[in-house]
Amino acid sequence: MVMVVLLLLCCGGLVLVVADESMAAGKGDGGCPGGDRQPLWVFGDSYADTGNLGNLGRELTHAWYDPYGRTFPRHPTGRFSDGRVLTDFVASAVGIPTPVAYKLRRRAPGDLLARGMNFAVGGSGVLDTGYFQRNISAQIDLFQKQLRGCAPTGVALVVVSGNDYSAVVDKNNGTGAAIAYIPTVVRGLREQLRRLRDDVGMRKVVVTNLHPMGCTPYFTRPLNYSGCDPLANAGADQHNAALRSVLDELDPANRTFLLLDLHTPFVAFVNDAAVNSSSSTTTRFPVRLRPCCVTSKADGYCGQQDDAGNRQYTVCDDPDRHFYWDDVHPTQAAWAAVAVAFTPAIHAFLST
């Protein structure tokens, strides 16, 4: 897997409230979070990033350029999708508008900061990925500085989508090397989860498991988008089993940590087994393994242009029919469908 480098909207009963980008005007850099709603603190990668990856040019930071943001808010916002991403939907499940991105904090008034803050940045991992982005440990460092002595409240969301493994694949040119790296990554993740609870003082921490990585278009493209890569999916399964064991050891009573299951709904919508079933999930996304935004080059990317400014990609007419937006990131419609599956678990977790 390459760099993983993820109003009011009603979707299957889920009501989503997202802050308009224009609201982040004015000043403000802190104050202790307060109010009746729980703030959300987000750590992770591009599945969760809502604008923290700086604009370093189209080749390095695709999400700041067309066609990203085409569905919402109809222009690029640094989200790796045609619209909203995982953070937006988790915030809705928690009952708050989307928290401000750390990069935009100085333009956000205090009432926005009371929602929490998003430290996730595209390309990051549990460990150093080589993509020159703050890993989760460094993101937690920023969180502690932002608290400025305040007692932490609310919910932490930790999103790990596979950059640690993609970096190993890029370096060693093989999925087998990434699978061998799983114990190292999970040990590192365990330490950061322990740190959030014991050192920072968070009492509610939500951590995602891995989606079926072998079903992302990056892996399905060599198969002409006809099937998933079984070895990459096996690696995701091993990561998830190891993470489950870590959480059982850290929190046997399941009071502090919630394993947010992204894997099961992803499988239901995109895995080969689903296409042969009579489940309605097979018709929700008629195009499961081919992305909406398709590069015309084998090593290209969504949004790529040549030196003359000519597009080196095509975009589908209806992203809602596609589960994936680009080679690794879901569409807004896909995230909305997945959120319907995980929202009840978040509600139950926060009620205890």
Side-chain angles (χ1 to χ4, degrees), residues 1-6 46-47 61-65 67-69 79-83 85 215-221 225 288-295 300-304 313-316 319 322-332 334-335:
M1 182 174 177
V2 294
M3 175 173 160
V4 180
V5 197
L6 200 222
S46 59
Y47 271 32
T61 50
H62 323 323
W64 286 108
Y65 294 86
Y68 288 83
R79 286 172 169 86
F80 290 76
S81 180
D82 62 310
V85 294
C215 293
T216 58
Y218 174 74
F219 282 102
T220 65
R221 185 196 301 172
Y225 304 113
R288 303 170 302 117
L289 303 179
R290 181 183 180 90
C292 173
C293 185
V294 180
T295 175
Y301 57 87
C302 175
Q304 186 173 12
Y313 63 96
T314 59
V315 182
C316 68
H322 289 249
F323 189 87
Y324 285 105
W325 166 248
D326 61 16
D327 273 357
V328 291
H329 303 99
T331 59
Q332 173 179 281
W335 279 127

Short mmCIF file of all heavy atoms in Angstrom, two decimals, residues 1-6 46-47 61-65 67-69 79-83 85 215-221 225 288-295 300-304 313-316 319 322-332 334-335:
data_model
loop_
_atom_site.label_atom_id
_atom_site.label_comp_id
_atom_site.label_asym_id
_atom_site.label_seq_id
_atom_site.Cartn_x
_atom_site.Cartn_y
_atom_site.Cartn_z
N MET A 1 0.83 -1.19 0.00
CA MET A 1 0.00 0.00 0.00
C MET A 1 0.87 1.25 0.00
O MET A 1 1.79 1.36 0.77
CB MET A 1 -0.88 -0.01 1.25
CG MET A 1 -1.82 1.17 1.35
SD MET A 1 -2.90 0.92 2.77
CE MET A 1 -3.80 2.43 2.72
N VAL A 2 0.54 2.20 -0.89
CA VAL A 2 1.31 3.43 -0.94
C VAL A 2 0.90 4.36 0.16
O VAL A 2 0.04 4.05 0.97
CB VAL A 2 1.14 4.14 -2.31
CG1 VAL A 2 1.73 3.32 -3.41
CG2 VAL A 2 -0.31 4.43 -2.58
N MET A 3 1.48 5.53 0.13
CA MET A 3 1.30 6.51 1.21
C MET A 3 -0.17 6.74 1.51
O MET A 3 -0.95 7.19 0.70
CB MET A 3 1.95 7.82 0.77
CG MET A 3 1.76 8.96 1.72
SD MET A 3 2.76 10.35 1.14
CE MET A 3 1.94 11.67 1.98
N VAL A 4 -0.56 6.29 2.69
CA VAL A 4 -1.95 6.43 3.11
C VAL A 4 -2.10 7.74 3.83
O VAL A 4 -1.90 7.87 4.99
CB VAL A 4 -2.37 5.26 3.99
CG1 VAL A 4 -3.80 5.39 4.43
CG2 VAL A 4 -2.18 3.95 3.27
N VAL A 5 -1.38 7.82 2.68
CA VAL A 5 -1.33 9.02 2.77
C VAL A 5 -2.32 8.50 2.46
O VAL A 5 -2.05 7.26 1.97
CB VAL A 5 -0.74 9.76 1.59
CG1 VAL A 5 -0.34 11.04 1.77
CG2 VAL A 5 -0.16 8.99 0.48
N LEU A 6 -9.36 10.74 5.99
CA LEU A 6 -8.70 9.36 5.92
C LEU A 6 -7.72 10.65 6.16
O LEU A 6 -7.96 10.27 7.46
CB LEU A 6 -9.77 10.06 7.69
CG LEU A 6 -9.17 9.43 7.63
CD1 LEU A 6 -9.15 8.63 7.99
CD2 LEU A 6 -10.67 8.12 8.23
N SER A 46 -3.87 10.06 6.89
CA SER A 46 -4.74 10.72 5.92
C SER A 46 -6.18 10.24 5.98
O SER A 46 -7.06 10.92 5.46
CB SER A 46 -4.20 10.50 4.51
OG SER A 46 -4.11 9.12 4.20
N TYR A 47 -6.46 9.11 6.60
CA TYR A 47 -7.86 8.72 6.78
C TYR A 47 -8.56 9.68 7.74
O TYR A 47 -9.79 9.75 7.77
CB TYR A 47 -7.94 7.29 7.32
CG TYR A 47 -7.98 6.22 6.24
CD1 TYR A 47 -7.33 6.39 5.02
CD2 TYR A 47 -8.66 5.03 6.45
CE1 TYR A 47 -7.37 5.42 4.05
CE2 TYR A 47 -8.70 4.04 5.48
CZ TYR A 47 -8.06 4.24 4.27
OH TYR A 47 -8.10 3.27 3.30
N THR A 61 1.34 16.87 -2.36
CA THR A 61 0.16 17.07 -1.52
C THR A 61 -1.08 17.18 -2.40
O THR A 61 -1.66 18.25 -2.57
CB THR A 61 0.32 18.33 -0.65
OG1 THR A 61 0.73 19.43 -1.48
CG2 THR A 61 1.39 18.12 0.41
N HIS A 62 -1.49 16.03 -2.94
CA HIS A 62 -2.61 15.99 -3.88
C HIS A 62 -3.90 16.57 -3.31
O HIS A 62 -4.70 17.14 -4.04
CB HIS A 62 -2.90 14.55 -4.32
CG HIS A 62 -1.70 13.68 -4.48
ND1 HIS A 62 -0.50 14.12 -4.99
CD2 HIS A 62 -1.53 12.37 -4.20
CE1 HIS A 62 0.36 13.13 -5.02
NE2 HIS A 62 -0.23 12.05 -4.53
N ALA A 63 -4.11 16.39 -2.00
CA ALA A 63 -5.40 16.71 -1.40
C ALA A 63 -5.71 18.20 -1.38
O ALA A 63 -6.84 18.59 -1.07
CB ALA A 63 -5.48 16.15 0.02
N TRP A 64 -4.75 19.06 -1.71
CA TRP A 64 -5.00 20.50 -1.78
C TRP A 64 -5.32 20.94 -3.21
O TRP A 64 -5.39 22.16 -3.48
CB TRP A 64 -3.79 21.27 -1.26
CG TRP A 64 -3.67 21.23 0.23
CD1 TRP A 64 -2.76 20.54 0.97
CD2 TRP A 64 -4.50 21.90 1.18
NE1 TRP A 64 -2.96 20.73 2.31
CE2 TRP A 64 -4.03 21.56 2.47
CE3 TRP A 64 -5.61 22.74 1.07
CZ2 TRP A 64 -4.62 22.04 3.64
CZ3 TRP A 64 -6.20 23.23 2.23
CH2 TRP A 64 -5.70 22.87 3.49
N TYR A 65 -5.54 19.97 -4.11
CA TYR A 65 -5.76 20.30 -5.51
C TYR A 65 -6.97 19.56 -6.05
O TYR A 65 -7.36 18.51 -5.54
CB TYR A 65 -4.51 19.96 -6.34
CG TYR A 65 -3.32 20.82 -5.99
CD1 TYR A 65 -2.48 20.46 -4.93
CD2 TYR A 65 -3.05 21.99 -6.67
CE1 TYR A 65 -1.40 21.25 -4.57
CE2 TYR A 65 -1.97 22.79 -6.33
CZ TYR A 65 -1.15 22.42 -5.28
OH TYR A 65 -0.09 23.22 -4.92
N PRO A 67 -9.01 17.06 -8.21
CA PRO A 67 -10.45 17.06 -7.94
C PRO A 67 -10.83 16.76 -6.48
O PRO A 67 -12.00 16.46 -6.20
CB PRO A 67 -10.93 15.93 -8.84
CG PRO A 67 -9.82 14.92 -8.78
CD PRO A 67 -8.55 15.75 -8.74
N TYR A 68 -9.88 16.81 -5.55
CA TYR A 68 -10.21 16.55 -4.14
C TYR A 68 -11.19 17.62 -3.64
O TYR A 68 -11.11 18.78 -4.03
CB TYR A 68 -8.94 16.52 -3.29
CG TYR A 68 -8.14 15.27 -3.53
CD1 TYR A 68 -7.26 15.19 -4.62
CD2 TYR A 68 -8.28 14.16 -2.72
CE1 TYR A 68 -6.54 14.03 -4.88
CE2 TYR A 68 -7.56 12.99 -2.97
CZ TYR A 68 -6.69 12.93 -4.05
OH TYR A 68 -5.99 11.78 -4.30
N GLY A 69 -12.11 17.19 -2.78
CA GLY A 69 -13.13 18.11 -2.27
C GLY A 69 -14.25 18.40 -3.23
O GLY A 69 -15.07 19.29 -2.98
N ARG A 79 -8.45 17.40 2.67
CA ARG A 79 -9.00 16.08 2.98
C ARG A 79 -8.70 15.13 1.82
O ARG A 79 -8.88 15.51 0.66
CB ARG A 79 -10.50 16.14 3.23
CG ARG A 79 -10.92 16.76 4.55
CD ARG A 79 -12.44 16.94 4.56
NE ARG A 79 -12.95 17.30 5.87
CZ ARG A 79 -13.02 18.55 6.34
NH1 ARG A 79 -12.56 19.55 5.60
NH2 ARG A 79 -13.53 18.78 7.54
N PHE A 80 -8.34 13.91 2.15
CA PHE A 80 -8.00 12.93 1.13
C PHE A 80 -9.25 12.17 0.69
O PHE A 80 -9.44 11.00 0.97
CB PHE A 80 -6.95 11.95 1.66
CG PHE A 80 -5.59 12.58 1.84
CD1 PHE A 80 -5.33 13.41 2.91
CD2 PHE A 80 -4.58 12.33 0.93
CE1 PHE A 80 -4.08 13.99 3.08
CE2 PHE A 80 -3.32 12.89 1.09
CZ PHE A 80 -3.07 13.74 2.16
N SER A 81 -10.12 12.87 -0.01
CA SER A 81 -11.38 12.29 -0.45
C SER A 81 -12.06 13.31 -1.36
O SER A 81 -11.57 14.43 -1.54
CB SER A 81 -12.28 11.98 0.75
OG SER A 81 -13.52 11.42 0.34
N ASP A 82 -13.20 12.92 -1.90
CA ASP A 82 -14.01 13.89 -2.63
C ASP A 82 -14.80 14.77 -1.66
O ASP A 82 -15.41 15.75 -2.08
CB ASP A 82 -14.98 13.19 -3.58
CG ASP A 82 -15.98 12.30 -2.83
OD1 ASP A 82 -15.54 11.49 -1.98
OD2 ASP A 82 -17.20 12.40 -3.09
N GLY A 83 -14.77 14.44 -0.37
CA GLY A 83 -15.52 15.22 0.61
C GLY A 83 -15.05 14.91 2.02
O GLY A 83 -13.86 14.96 2.33
N VAL A 85 -14.20 12.92 5.59
CA VAL A 85 -13.38 11.75 5.89
C VAL A 85 -13.78 11.19 7.26
O VAL A 85 -14.74 11.65 7.89
CB VAL A 85 -11.88 12.09 5.84
CG1 VAL A 85 -11.47 12.46 4.42
CG2 VAL A 85 -11.53 13.22 6.80
N CYS A 215 -7.70 -4.84 -0.64
CA CYS A 215 -8.83 -4.46 -1.49
C CYS A 215 -8.77 -3.00 -1.94
O CYS A 215 -9.65 -2.56 -2.67
CB CYS A 215 -10.15 -4.73 -0.77
SG CYS A 215 -10.47 -6.48 -0.47
N THR A 216 -7.76 -2.27 -1.50
CA THR A 216 -7.61 -0.90 -1.98
C THR A 216 -7.20 -0.94 -3.46
O THR A 216 -6.54 -1.89 -3.90
CB THR A 216 -6.56 -0.13 -1.18
OG1 THR A 216 -5.31 -0.82 -1.25
CG2 THR A 216 -6.98 0.01 0.28
N PRO A 217 -7.59 0.07 -4.23
CA PRO A 217 -7.26 0.06 -5.66
C PRO A 217 -5.76 -0.05 -5.96
O PRO A 217 -5.39 -0.52 -7.04
CB PRO A 217 -7.84 1.39 -6.15
CG PRO A 217 -9.01 1.62 -5.25
CD PRO A 217 -8.53 1.15 -3.90
N TYR A 218 -4.93 0.38 -5.02
CA TYR A 218 -3.49 0.22 -5.24
C TYR A 218 -3.14 -1.25 -5.48
O TYR A 218 -2.29 -1.59 -6.30
CB TYR A 218 -2.72 0.76 -4.04
CG TYR A 218 -1.23 0.51 -4.12
CD1 TYR A 218 -0.44 1.24 -4.99
CD2 TYR A 218 -0.62 -0.47 -3.33
CE1 TYR A 218 0.93 1.00 -5.08
CE2 TYR A 218 0.74 -0.71 -3.42
CZ TYR A 218 1.52 0.03 -4.28
OH TYR A 218 2.87 -0.20 -4.36
N PHE A 219 -3.82 -2.14 -4.75
CA PHE A 219 -3.57 -3.56 -4.90
C PHE A 219 -4.46 -4.20 -5.96
O PHE A 219 -4.08 -5.21 -6.56
CB PHE A 219 -3.80 -4.29 -3.56
CG PHE A 219 -2.67 -4.13 -2.59
CD1 PHE A 219 -2.76 -3.24 -1.54
CD2 PHE A 219 -1.50 -4.86 -2.73
CE1 PHE A 219 -1.71 -3.08 -0.63
CE2 PHE A 219 -0.45 -4.72 -1.84
CZ PHE A 219 -0.55 -3.82 -0.79
N THR A 220 -5.65 -3.66 -6.18
CA THR A 220 -6.56 -4.28 -7.16
C THR A 220 -6.26 -3.86 -8.59
O THR A 220 -6.66 -4.54 -9.53
CB THR A 220 -8.03 -3.95 -6.82
OG1 THR A 220 -8.26 -2.53 -6.96
CG2 THR A 220 -8.38 -4.39 -5.41
N ARG A 221 -5.53 -2.74 -8.78
CA ARG A 221 -5.23 -2.29 -10.15
C ARG A 221 -4.45 -3.33 -10.95
O ARG A 221 -4.79 -3.58 -12.12
CB ARG A 221 -4.47 -0.97 -10.12
CG ARG A 221 -4.25 -0.40 -11.52
CD ARG A 221 -3.19 0.68 -11.54
NE ARG A 221 -3.54 1.78 -10.66
CZ ARG A 221 -2.71 2.79 -10.38
NH1 ARG A 221 -1.48 2.81 -10.91
NH2 ARG A 221 -3.08 3.76 -9.58
N TYR A 225 -8.67 -4.52 -11.33
CA TYR A 225 -9.76 -4.21 -10.40
C TYR A 225 -10.78 -5.35 -10.28
O TYR A 225 -11.96 -5.11 -10.06
CB TYR A 225 -10.47 -2.92 -10.82
CG TYR A 225 -9.55 -1.73 -10.96
CD1 TYR A 225 -9.30 -1.16 -12.20
CD2 TYR A 225 -8.94 -1.17 -9.84
CE1 TYR A 225 -8.45 -0.06 -12.31
CE2 TYR A 225 -8.09 -0.08 -9.95
CZ TYR A 225 -7.85 0.47 -11.20
OH TYR A 225 -7.02 1.55 -11.31
N ARG A 288 -16.79 -1.36 -6.65
CA ARG A 288 -16.22 -1.64 -5.34
C ARG A 288 -14.70 -1.50 -5.30
O ARG A 288 -14.14 -1.05 -4.31
CB ARG A 288 -16.57 -3.07 -4.90
CG ARG A 288 -18.07 -3.35 -4.84
CD ARG A 288 -18.34 -4.84 -4.65
NE ARG A 288 -17.73 -5.61 -5.73
CZ ARG A 288 -16.77 -6.51 -5.57
NH1 ARG A 288 -16.30 -6.77 -4.37
NH2 ARG A 288 -16.27 -7.16 -6.61
N LEU A 289 -14.03 -1.92 -6.35
CA LEU A 289 -12.58 -2.02 -6.32
C LEU A 289 -11.87 -1.05 -7.25
O LEU A 289 -10.66 -0.89 -7.17
CB LEU A 289 -12.14 -3.45 -6.66
CG LEU A 289 -12.73 -4.56 -5.76
CD1 LEU A 289 -12.26 -5.93 -6.22
CD2 LEU A 289 -12.35 -4.33 -4.31
N ARG A 290 -12.60 -0.42 -8.12
CA ARG A 290 -12.04 0.59 -9.03
C ARG A 290 -12.35 1.97 -8.46
O ARG A 290 -13.50 2.27 -8.14
CB ARG A 290 -12.65 0.45 -10.41
CG ARG A 290 -12.09 1.44 -11.45
CD ARG A 290 -12.79 1.30 -12.78
NE ARG A 290 -12.27 2.23 -13.77
CZ ARG A 290 -11.25 1.96 -14.58
NH1 ARG A 290 -10.65 0.78 -14.52
NH2 ARG A 290 -10.83 2.87 -15.44
N PRO A 291 -11.35 2.84 -8.31
CA PRO A 291 -11.62 4.15 -7.71
C PRO A 291 -12.36 5.07 -8.66
O PRO A 291 -12.38 4.87 -9.88
CB PRO A 291 -10.21 4.68 -7.43
CG PRO A 291 -9.36 4.06 -8.49
CD PRO A 291 -9.93 2.67 -8.69
N CYS A 292 -12.95 6.10 -8.09
CA CYS A 292 -13.62 7.12 -8.90
C CYS A 292 -12.59 7.92 -9.69
O CYS A 292 -12.79 8.21 -10.86
CB CYS A 292 -14.44 8.05 -7.99
SG CYS A 292 -15.16 9.47 -8.83
N CYS A 293 -11.50 8.29 -9.03
CA CYS A 293 -10.44 9.06 -9.68
C CYS A 293 -9.32 8.10 -10.08
O CYS A 293 -8.64 7.54 -9.21
CB CYS A 293 -9.92 10.15 -8.74
SG CYS A 293 -8.71 11.27 -9.49
N VAL A 294 -9.14 7.92 -11.38
CA VAL A 294 -8.21 6.92 -11.90
C VAL A 294 -7.08 7.60 -12.64
O VAL A 294 -7.30 8.40 -13.55
CB VAL A 294 -8.93 5.94 -12.84
CG1 VAL A 294 -7.95 4.89 -13.37
CG2 VAL A 294 -10.09 5.26 -12.15
N THR A 295 -5.85 7.30 -12.26
CA THR A 295 -4.69 7.83 -12.95
C THR A 295 -4.46 7.07 -14.24
O THR A 295 -4.72 5.86 -14.33
CB THR A 295 -3.44 7.76 -12.07
OG1 THR A 295 -2.30 8.19 -12.82
CG2 THR A 295 -3.19 6.34 -11.58
N GLY A 300 1.22 6.90 -11.42
CA GLY A 300 0.64 8.22 -11.27
C GLY A 300 -0.23 8.35 -10.05
O GLY A 300 -0.28 7.48 -9.18
N TYR A 301 -0.97 9.46 -9.99
CA TYR A 301 -1.82 9.73 -8.84
C TYR A 301 -3.03 10.57 -9.27
O TYR A 301 -3.00 11.24 -10.31
CB TYR A 301 -1.04 10.46 -7.74
CG TYR A 301 -0.41 11.76 -8.18
CD1 TYR A 301 -1.12 12.97 -8.13
CD2 TYR A 301 0.90 11.80 -8.64
CE1 TYR A 301 -0.54 14.16 -8.53
CE2 TYR A 301 1.50 12.98 -9.05
CZ TYR A 301 0.77 14.16 -8.99
OH TYR A 301 1.34 15.34 -9.40
N CYS A 302 -4.07 10.50 -8.48
CA CYS A 302 -5.26 11.30 -8.72
C CYS A 302 -4.89 12.78 -8.63
O CYS A 302 -4.28 13.21 -7.65
CB CYS A 302 -6.33 10.95 -7.69
SG CYS A 302 -7.82 11.98 -7.77
N GLY A 303 -5.25 13.55 -9.66
CA GLY A 303 -4.94 14.98 -9.69
C GLY A 303 -3.68 15.30 -10.47
O GLY A 303 -3.34 16.48 -10.63
N GLN A 304 -2.99 14.30 -10.99
CA GLN A 304 -1.73 14.54 -11.69
C GLN A 304 -1.95 15.29 -13.00
O GLN A 304 -2.92 15.05 -13.74
CB GLN A 304 -1.03 13.21 -11.98
CG GLN A 304 0.35 13.36 -12.57
CD GLN A 304 1.07 12.03 -12.68
OE1 GLN A 304 0.48 10.97 -12.51
NE2 GLN A 304 2.36 12.07 -12.96
N TYR A 313 -5.46 11.99 -15.42
CA TYR A 313 -6.40 11.20 -14.65
C TYR A 313 -7.80 11.45 -15.18
O TYR A 313 -8.05 12.42 -15.91
CB TYR A 313 -6.34 11.57 -13.16
CG TYR A 313 -6.76 13.01 -12.89
CD1 TYR A 313 -8.07 13.32 -12.52
CD2 TYR A 313 -5.85 14.06 -13.01
CE1 TYR A 313 -8.46 14.64 -12.29
CE2 TYR A 313 -6.23 15.38 -12.77
CZ TYR A 313 -7.54 15.66 -12.41
OH TYR A 313 -7.92 16.96 -12.19
N THR A 314 -8.71 10.56 -14.81
CA THR A 314 -10.13 10.74 -15.11
C THR A 314 -10.92 10.62 -13.81
O THR A 314 -10.50 9.95 -12.86
CB THR A 314 -10.64 9.69 -16.11
OG1 THR A 314 -10.44 8.37 -15.55
CG2 THR A 314 -9.90 9.80 -17.44
N VAL A 315 -12.08 11.28 -13.77
CA VAL A 315 -12.94 11.26 -12.59
C VAL A 315 -14.32 10.76 -13.00
O VAL A 315 -14.88 11.20 -14.01
CB VAL A 315 -13.05 12.65 -11.94
CG1 VAL A 315 -13.92 12.59 -10.69
CG2 VAL A 315 -11.67 13.19 -11.61
N CYS A 316 -14.88 9.87 -12.21
CA CYS A 316 -16.20 9.33 -12.50
C CYS A 316 -17.27 10.41 -12.37
O CYS A 316 -17.08 11.45 -11.74
CB CYS A 316 -16.51 8.17 -11.56
SG CYS A 316 -16.73 8.66 -9.83
N PRO A 319 -19.41 9.93 -7.72
CA PRO A 319 -18.59 9.29 -6.67
C PRO A 319 -19.39 8.43 -5.70
O PRO A 319 -18.82 7.50 -5.10
CB PRO A 319 -17.95 10.49 -5.94
CG PRO A 319 -17.98 11.60 -6.94
CD PRO A 319 -19.23 11.39 -7.74
N HIS A 322 -19.07 4.71 -6.06
CA HIS A 322 -17.77 4.11 -5.84
C HIS A 322 -17.45 4.06 -4.35
O HIS A 322 -17.70 5.02 -3.63
CB HIS A 322 -16.68 4.94 -6.53
CG HIS A 322 -16.71 4.85 -8.02
ND1 HIS A 322 -15.73 4.22 -8.76
CD2 HIS A 322 -17.61 5.32 -8.93
CE1 HIS A 322 -16.01 4.31 -10.05
NE2 HIS A 322 -17.15 4.98 -10.17
N PHE A 323 -16.85 2.96 -3.91
CA PHE A 323 -16.40 2.90 -2.53
C PHE A 323 -15.10 3.67 -2.37
O PHE A 323 -14.91 4.37 -1.37
CB PHE A 323 -16.20 1.45 -2.08
CG PHE A 323 -15.94 1.33 -0.60
CD1 PHE A 323 -16.99 1.22 0.29
CD2 PHE A 323 -14.64 1.32 -0.10
CE1 PHE A 323 -16.75 1.14 1.66
CE2 PHE A 323 -14.40 1.23 1.26
CZ PHE A 323 -15.46 1.14 2.15
N TYR A 324 -14.21 3.58 -3.35
CA TYR A 324 -12.92 4.25 -3.24
C TYR A 324 -12.87 5.50 -4.13
O TYR A 324 -13.36 5.50 -5.26
CB TYR A 324 -11.78 3.31 -3.62
CG TYR A 324 -11.47 2.30 -2.54
CD1 TYR A 324 -11.87 0.97 -2.67
CD2 TYR A 324 -10.81 2.68 -1.38
CE1 TYR A 324 -11.60 0.05 -1.67
CE2 TYR A 324 -10.54 1.76 -0.38
CZ TYR A 324 -10.93 0.45 -0.52
OH TYR A 324 -10.67 -0.46 0.47
N TRP A 325 -12.26 6.53 -3.57
CA TRP A 325 -12.08 7.78 -4.31
C TRP A 325 -10.80 7.72 -5.16
O TRP A 325 -10.82 8.02 -6.33
CB TRP A 325 -12.01 8.95 -3.33
CG TRP A 325 -11.49 10.22 -3.93
CD1 TRP A 325 -10.31 10.85 -3.66
CD2 TRP A 325 -12.13 11.00 -4.95
NE1 TRP A 325 -10.17 11.98 -4.43
CE2 TRP A 325 -11.27 12.09 -5.23
CE3 TRP A 325 -13.34 10.89 -5.64
CZ2 TRP A 325 -11.59 13.06 -6.18
CZ3 TRP A 325 -13.65 11.86 -6.60
CH2 TRP A 325 -12.79 12.93 -6.85
N ASP A 326 -9.67 7.36 -4.52
CA ASP A 326 -8.41 7.25 -5.24
C ASP A 326 -7.77 5.90 -4.91
O ASP A 326 -8.48 4.98 -4.50
CB ASP A 326 -7.48 8.44 -4.92
CG ASP A 326 -7.11 8.53 -3.44
OD1 ASP A 326 -7.31 7.54 -2.70
OD2 ASP A 326 -6.61 9.58 -3.02
N ASP A 327 -6.48 5.77 -5.06
CA ASP A 327 -5.84 4.47 -4.90
C ASP A 327 -5.96 3.87 -3.51
O ASP A 327 -5.84 2.65 -3.34
CB ASP A 327 -4.36 4.56 -5.28
CG ASP A 327 -4.13 4.36 -6.77
OD1 ASP A 327 -5.12 4.09 -7.48
OD2 ASP A 327 -2.97 4.47 -7.21
N VAL A 328 -6.15 4.71 -2.48
CA VAL A 328 -6.18 4.17 -1.12
C VAL A 328 -7.28 4.75 -0.23
O VAL A 328 -7.53 4.21 0.85
CB VAL A 328 -4.82 4.39 -0.41
CG1 VAL A 328 -3.74 3.52 -1.04
CG2 VAL A 328 -4.41 5.84 -0.44
N HIS A 329 -7.94 5.82 -0.65
CA HIS A 329 -8.88 6.51 0.24
C HIS A 329 -10.33 6.33 -0.21
O HIS A 329 -10.63 6.44 -1.40
CB HIS A 329 -8.56 8.01 0.28
CG HIS A 329 -7.16 8.29 0.72
ND1 HIS A 329 -6.15 8.57 -0.16
CD2 HIS A 329 -6.61 8.33 1.96
CE1 HIS A 329 -5.02 8.78 0.50
NE2 HIS A 329 -5.27 8.63 1.79
N PRO A 330 -11.24 6.09 0.74
CA PRO A 330 -12.66 5.97 0.40
C PRO A 330 -13.29 7.29 -0.02
O PRO A 330 -12.78 8.37 0.26
CB PRO A 330 -13.29 5.47 1.72
CG PRO A 330 -12.16 4.85 2.48
CD PRO A 330 -10.96 5.68 2.14
N THR A 331 -14.41 7.18 -0.69
CA THR A 331 -15.23 8.35 -1.01
C THR A 331 -15.97 8.81 0.25
O THR A 331 -16.06 8.09 1.25
CB THR A 331 -16.27 8.02 -2.08
OG1 THR A 331 -17.11 6.94 -1.60
CG2 THR A 331 -15.63 7.61 -3.39
N GLN A 332 -16.53 10.01 0.17
CA GLN A 332 -17.37 10.47 1.27
C GLN A 332 -18.54 9.52 1.48
O GLN A 332 -18.92 9.20 2.62
CB GLN A 332 -17.90 11.87 0.97
CG GLN A 332 -18.93 12.36 1.99
CD GLN A 332 -19.42 13.76 1.71
OE1 GLN A 332 -18.75 14.73 2.02
NE2 GLN A 332 -20.61 13.88 1.12
N ALA A 334 -18.65 6.36 0.95
CA ALA A 334 -18.18 5.15 1.63
C ALA A 334 -18.01 5.39 3.12
O ALA A 334 -18.43 4.57 3.95
CB ALA A 334 -16.86 4.69 1.01
N TRP A 335 -17.40 6.51 3.49
CA TRP A 335 -17.23 6.81 4.91
C TRP A 335 -18.58 6.94 5.59
O TRP A 335 -18.76 6.51 6.75
CB TRP A 335 -16.42 8.09 5.10
CG TRP A 335 -14.94 7.91 4.99
CD1 TRP A 335 -14.09 8.61 4.18
CD2 TRP A 335 -14.13 6.99 5.74
NE1 TRP A 335 -12.79 8.17 4.37
CE2 TRP A 335 -12.78 7.19 5.31
CE3 TRP A 335 -14.39 6.03 6.71
CZ2 TRP A 335 -11.73 6.45 5.84
CZ3 TRP A 335 -13.34 5.30 7.22
CH2 TRP A 335 -12.02 5.51 6.79
#
